[in-house]
Amino acid sequence: MISKKVQDAFNDQINAELYSAYLYYSIQAYFEELNLEGFANWMKIQIQEELSHVAKFTNFINERGGRVIPKAIECPPIEWESPMVAFEATFTHEQAVSVSINKLVDIAIAENDHASKIFLDWFVSEQVEEEASVNAVVQKLKLMKDSPHGLFMIDRELAQRVFTPPAGQAT
Ligand code: FEO
């Protein structure tokens, strides 16, 4: 059985993951408007990643006899100065998610909840990958300084991204 404290913290994390997806929907729309289809595709895949994170937390709470409790999702920004600024905002956001995952680990340890701690280990590693994949794009954009030719090249590369569901997860 999951404790009320862990359940509440995990519900907050579901809300944060849904906000992440909503933020990336907004950035995807921004890229679609700029006709940067590859950039938009990268965000579309990122949305799928976030929704898979929501599914993981949801399944875990249910398996532990807890209750998923929906809350209002904050409205994300809708405009960015440039593709680089949009990706920098994505990187900043993923760093904040890493901090919140680390806080969940602290709560699980404080509650002596080994099952939650083991469950969260996957997310700790996942955040290392999430930050690295976003930062790789940020660094390329910085090198290209948002030049049209550079954007075109990166756009073609980002168009190749595909979604790989986490192990044991069908969606
Ligand atoms: Fe679910 Fe991108 O962190």
Side-chain angles (χ1 to χ4, degrees):
M1 189 80 186
I2 199 166
S3 73
K4 169 91 169 55
K5 196 163 183 181
V6 173
Q7 176 183 290
D8 288 349
F10 278 24
N11 269 303
D12 286 345
Q13 189 63 32
I14 287 174
N15 189 273
E17 301 286 349
L18 285 169
Y19 174 78
S20 300
Y22 212 12
L23 172 64
Y24 301 147
Y25 273 116
S26 185
I27 300 178
Q28 181 191 352
Y30 166 73
F31 288 143
E32 299 275 9
E33 192 173 55
L34 294 176
N35 293 314
L36 291 169
E37 295 299 329
F39 280 80
N41 174 66
W42 195 99
M43 285 296 156
K44 189 176 86 178
I45 303 304
Q46 194 61 26
I47 291 161
Q48 289 178 274
E49 295 256 347
E50 300 307 341
L51 296 179
S52 79
H53 298 165
V54 172
K56 266 187 174 285
F57 275 103
T58 302
N59 292 341
F60 185 78
I61 291 173
N62 290 337
E63 277 177 5
R64 300 281 309 280
R67 181 77 158 83
V68 172
I69 299 165
K71 292 178 187 172
I73 303 163
E74 192 185 329
C75 186
I78 56 170
E79 291 294 344
W80 292 268
E81 281 171 34
S82 68
M84 188 172 81
V85 171
F87 258 92
E88 282 177 332
T90 302
F91 185 50
T92 301
H93 182 69
E94 286 301 332
Q95 288 177 307
V97 172
S98 297
V99 169
S100 74
I101 293 289
N102 286 341
K103 284 183 181 163
L104 292 183
V105 173
D106 291 343
I107 292 169
I109 290 169
E111 291 285 292
N112 204 24
D113 184 345
H114 294 261
S116 291
K117 165 71 176 63
I118 290 167
F119 168 75
L120 289 166
D121 283 346
W122 183 89
F123 279 93
V124 172
S125 302
E126 173 73 355
Q127 280 311 121
V128 173
E129 279 182 37
E130 293 257 298
E131 284 189 32
S133 75
V134 180
N135 194 32
V137 181
V138 170
Q139 295 310 317
K140 281 180 191 156
L141 286 167
K142 278 186 176 168
L143 277 175
M144 302 289 184
K145 294 186 171 46
D146 279 337
S147 77
H149 180 66
L151 284 177
F152 177 72
M153 280 175 55
I154 297 171
D155 194 58
R156 283 177 57 171
E157 184 186 326
L158 299 188
Q160 308 303 315
R161 189 181 190 201
V162 293
F163 177 61
T164 309
Q169 199 166 311
T171 55

